[in-house]
Amino acid sequence: MLPDRSSISPRRSLLVLGLVLCAGLAGCQVRPLYSEAGGTRAKLTSVGFADATNRIEQVVRNELIFLASGGAGEPLNPAYDVTLKVSSEASNVLDDDGLAEAGIPVPGRVQLTGSYTVTRTSDGQVLRRGQHSSVSLIDVSRQSFAKVRAIRDAENRAARELAEFIRADIAIVLAKEPPQQPVWQK
């Protein structure tokens, strides 16, 4: 038989609710991605990046090196290696050539697509393959230099955003890696 609701005091129900919440939070395994306890920051500084094959790959690579190492540069003997392929595509949003001929800038977009592979150098195991895209909007002028410069500036903006996405993915992968054991020498 169930107890009558009037016999359960509000104080008792709050106590039970508090105990249930404490038990639920005790099983919670959430921690910051870049916490020192997981060693993710130290692992990020041990990532090496493959050489770039074009200008936009170089921009993304430079940004990734800066984000991963905090400005200290690449390690001499990286524990992890990242290969990167980045492509860029510029296009008009509108297909109206009459606007450009009238001297009105036409809206456009630059899309960067970056694919990457994170590999552990000690055993060559691929830890993650991924792909991200980043879009930057531009106004395309009739003037050829202004058009080229607008596209290059948009590529640079999109490259910074793409590097942030890729760095976050690399940090997630490295957070799951077991801590590196020190090598003792005699």
Side-chain angles (χ1 to χ4, degrees):
M1 184 166 165
L2 293 173
D4 184 19
R5 284 190 176 227
S6 62
S7 67
I8 299 175
S9 70
R11 181 178 276 179
R12 180 179 279 173
S13 62
L14 284 176
L15 178 65
V16 170
L17 179 65
L19 289 174
V20 169
L21 283 174
C22 286
L25 289 176
C28 185
Q29 296 295 320
V30 176
R31 61 187 163 115
L33 179 60
Y34 300 108
S35 71
E36 291 300 319
T40 306
R41 188 74 182 137
K43 290 176 190 173
L44 271 173
T45 60
S46 67
V47 174
F49 297 92
D51 291 335
T53 58
N54 59 38
R55 187 195 80 79
I56 197 62
E57 269 183 28
Q58 186 67 43
V59 174
V60 174
R61 180 183 183 272
N62 289 348
E63 191 69 25
L64 279 168
I65 291 170
F66 182 79
L67 291 171
S69 68
E74 283 190 282
L76 293 176
N77 298 315
Y80 305 94
D81 188 40
V82 175
T83 57
L84 184 66
K85 295 293 177 200
V86 180
S87 63
S88 174
E89 180 182 348
S91 61
N92 288 343
V93 174
L94 301 176
D95 290 332
D96 188 4
D97 291 331
L99 291 176
E101 291 173 8
I104 300 172
V106 177
R109 59 185 262 148
V110 172
Q111 179 172 354
L112 297 185
T113 303
S115 57
Y116 61 94
T117 304
V118 181
T119 308
R120 189 182 311 124
T121 56
S122 62
D123 59 1
Q125 181 179 356
V126 174
L127 302 176
R128 175 151 171 85
R129 292 181 204 273
Q131 182 175 355
H132 281 287
S133 293
S134 177
V135 174
S136 184
L137 300 177
I138 57 173
D139 286 330
V140 181
S141 173
R142 265 186 34 200
Q143 298 174 351
S144 56
F145 178 76
K147 179 180 179 179
V148 169
R149 192 65 225 186
I151 291 172
R152 179 171 281 196
D153 290 345
E155 283 178 338
N156 291 342
R157 287 192 310 270
R160 285 191 297 273
E161 186 175 328
L162 184 63
E164 289 280 349
F165 289 145
I166 293 173
R167 193 231 16 208
D169 275 359
I170 293 170
I172 290 169
V173 168
L174 296 182
K176 295 177 184 175
E177 281 286 289
Q180 297 172 350
Q181 299 295 327
V183 177
W184 298 98
Q185 297 179 355
K186 291 184 179 182

